[in-house]
Amino acid sequence: MKTSWRTPCVRMQSILLVVASFSQQDNNPKHRPKHIQNKFFRCHVALFDWPGQSPDLNIIEGVWARLERRLVGRNTRNADEKFSQLEEEWKKIALSFIQTFLDSMPRRCQAVIDVKGFATQY
């Protein structure tokens, strides 16, 4: 089985979500495998109903993109090594980088309102 870089991300995200006890998903089939849904259920993580193809206002997408760029070309032998690489890079992300996404939220929300819920530049 080929492991993508996202496999350890799902592990990391699962850890964060269990702490938060809720999750928002966009109903994309790749985000809704049965074993993940079962894990949410077993861990009592509530899933918000969310329309498919909805505007993406989740700031974590920008963080995932940065992590992906930082890991390009870095090979691993297994998912544990990839998780270690992700954890290492995650710790290097400056709070100011996250803050830029938080500061953009009013603009992002207004853009969604302006286009009545359709796609935006975000």
Side-chain angles (χ1 to χ4, degrees):
M1 179 176 90
K2 185 176 183 209
T3 302
S4 82
W5 72 270
R6 290 186 185 266
T7 301
C9 287
V10 170
R11 286 176 48 196
M12 184 182 295
Q13 195 171 28
S14 295
I15 292 165
L16 296 173
L17 291 175
V18 169
V19 171
S21 297
F22 65 89
S23 175
Q24 172 255 314
Q25 299 178 352
D26 65 3
N27 295 319
N28 185 319
K30 69 181 178 190
H31 298 152
R32 300 187 60 94
K34 195 67 169 170
H35 70 280
I36 297 294
Q37 298 303 304
N38 289 338
K39 182 171 181 71
F40 285 138
F41 179 78
R42 285 191 313 274
C43 294
H44 306 287
V45 175
L47 298 175
F48 292 128
D49 288 330
W50 205 261
Q53 303 300 315
S54 58
D56 193 352
L57 297 175
N58 189 343
I59 64 172
I60 197 67
E61 296 299 331
V63 178
W64 289 144
R66 173 168 272 198
L67 285 172
E68 185 173 18
R69 285 191 304 273
R70 288 183 172 190
L71 294 175
V72 168
R74 291 178 66 181
N75 297 321
T76 60
R77 292 180 298 243
N78 57 49
D80 288 331
E81 281 185 12
K82 186 57 77 174
F83 185 77
S84 293
Q85 287 179 353
L86 282 165
E87 190 172 37
E88 175 188 331
E89 292 300 328
W90 181 271
K91 290 176 182 178
K92 292 178 185 176
I93 295 174
L95 185 57
S96 60
F97 177 75
I98 304 298
Q99 190 64 49
T100 61
F101 285 106
L102 293 172
D103 292 343
S104 74
M105 287 309 294
R107 291 187 306 277
R108 290 169 179 258
C109 291
Q110 188 60 54
V112 170
I113 292 166
D114 291 347
V115 297
K116 298 178 177 32
F118 288 96
T120 70
Q121 68 183 13
Y122 302 105

